[in-house]
Amino acid sequence: MALSHREEAAALFLKEEKMITSVSNPQMKRIKELLNKSKQRRKEKCFVAEGIRMVAETPVDRLERVYVSESFYRHPPELRGLDLSKALIVDDQVFRQVSDTQTPQGIMAVVRQQ
């Protein structure tokens, strides 16, 4: 089965970049703290936005970091104005464990508060 150009590019990117594969990764621990502890959100002046619409509607200048699941990165929907080239890729299973939603859409972001 031949891969499309987009799938080949995604596979190459995944080989070159390190994917987050553990819940014990410091960035994943930070996301869990921001999701679960209001004290941490106030201290860092950040929160986590989950889902395509929430992330896409966040002003770009307030996005601190975008995280996408591996499957989302391989087959992203059309997102006007959102550049996924700087997004960190997270293993699908790790993404599900970290996510606060029942059925995660595959994208979340750490957002600076105003």
Side-chain angles (χ1 to χ4, degrees), residues 72-90:
F72 184 94
Y73 185 80
R74 288 184 190 275
H75 306 287
E78 291 299 318
L79 297 172
R80 283 181 270 142
L82 190 61
D83 179 18
L84 292 181
S85 66
K86 295 178 183 154
L88 286 178
I89 301 166
V90 181

Side-chain angles (χ1 to χ4, degrees), residues 3-4 10 12 16 24 26-28 32 34 36-38 44 52 55 66 69-71 74 77 80 85-86 100 113:
L3 295 175
S4 71
L12 180 64
E16 292 174 0
S24 61
Q27 293 183 63
M28 296 297 101
K32 283 303 269 183
L34 289 172
N36 297 325
K37 299 179 181 176
S38 61
E44 291 190 39
I52 296 168
V55 175
V66 176
S69 68
E70 182 180 3
S71 57
R74 288 184 190 275
R80 283 181 270 142
S85 66
K86 295 178 183 154
D100 200 32
Q113 295 176 0

